[in-house]
Amino acid sequence: ALIINGGNYYLLAFDSKKKKFLHFRVDRMKKVERIGEKRDGEKEFADVDLKTYTQRVFSMYGGEESRITLRFINPLLDTAIDRFGKKDVVYSKIDEKHFTVTAKVEVSNQFFGWLCGFGNKVKIVSPSPVVEEFKQYLDKMRGLYE
């Protein structure tokens, strides 16, 4: 499939040996040739909702898909909707200042970097393994400055 993300076109391809999807920036591809072989991954592509795919993947860096819950401050509601959309996403009011978003995300360093851009205005609530992975990410970043 051909998809656009962040102003760039990507080829979304299924690697039948690794059993996962890979992304290739079209403008960086060289010496592309048609080899005439039947493509693999027909079943896998049938299971992908391309309309919501780029909402789960950050900067086209894939990761392990996880259903996560994030707590945001209320002024970031439009930002959250722009990022995650409304399909298969749950938005809940916590209090007068916060809401949560529960959505599928491919957890990656790019996702963590996106979160860091909000500073203390967003927090990963669950699942706990993703919270721990984010803490390790932050520790590595902090370690660069010690």
Side-chain angles (χ1 to χ4, degrees):
L2 188 63
I3 55 180
I4 189 167
N5 185 270
N8 296 306
Y9 284 93
Y10 292 87
L11 171 66
L12 177 64
F14 183 75
D15 185 323
S16 56
K17 291 179 184 169
K18 295 179 182 177
K19 301 289 185 206
K20 68 178 192 174
F21 285 97
L22 302 175
H23 313 107
F24 301 93
R25 273 247 330 244
V26 172
D27 63 316
R28 294 190 177 163
M29 297 170 75
K30 296 178 181 175
K31 299 181 183 181
V32 176
E33 297 178 23
R34 185 173 183 195
I35 58 175
E37 293 180 13
K38 184 174 173 15
R39 77 176 177 118
D40 291 335
E42 187 174 344
K43 179 192 174 296
E44 289 78 6
F45 268 98
D47 294 338
V48 173
D49 180 359
L50 291 175
K51 290 181 181 179
T52 62
Y53 186 80
T54 57
Q55 293 170 333
R56 292 192 319 268
V57 180
F58 286 74
S59 301
M60 296 310 292
Y61 284 86
E64 186 171 328
E65 186 177 293
S66 182
R67 189 151 182 87
I68 62 158
T69 299
L70 301 170
R71 184 189 74 196
F72 286 88
I73 62 168
N74 285 344
L76 292 176
L77 179 60
D78 288 341
T79 301
I81 292 171
D82 287 348
R83 176 73 243 188
F84 300 107
K86 295 181 181 177
K87 185 177 181 183
D88 299 325
V89 179
V90 177
Y91 295 90
S92 301
K93 179 180 177 180
I94 296 177
D95 56 35
E96 295 306 312
K97 294 183 179 181
H98 302 92
F99 68 93
T100 60
V101 176
T102 302
K104 288 183 183 176
V105 168
E106 292 202 16
V107 178
S108 66
N109 285 349
Q110 301 309 115
F111 167 63
F112 292 152
W114 180 78
L115 290 175
C116 286
F118 296 106
N120 65 353
K121 297 174 182 156
V122 64
K123 177 184 178 181
I124 303 171
V125 176
S126 67
S128 56
V130 175
V131 172
E132 291 306 313
E133 190 176 347
F134 186 54
K135 287 178 182 178
Q136 291 173 9
Y137 172 86
L138 293 172
D139 288 343
K140 286 180 190 175
M141 296 300 294
R142 187 180 308 110
L144 290 174
Y145 298 96
E146 291 180 348

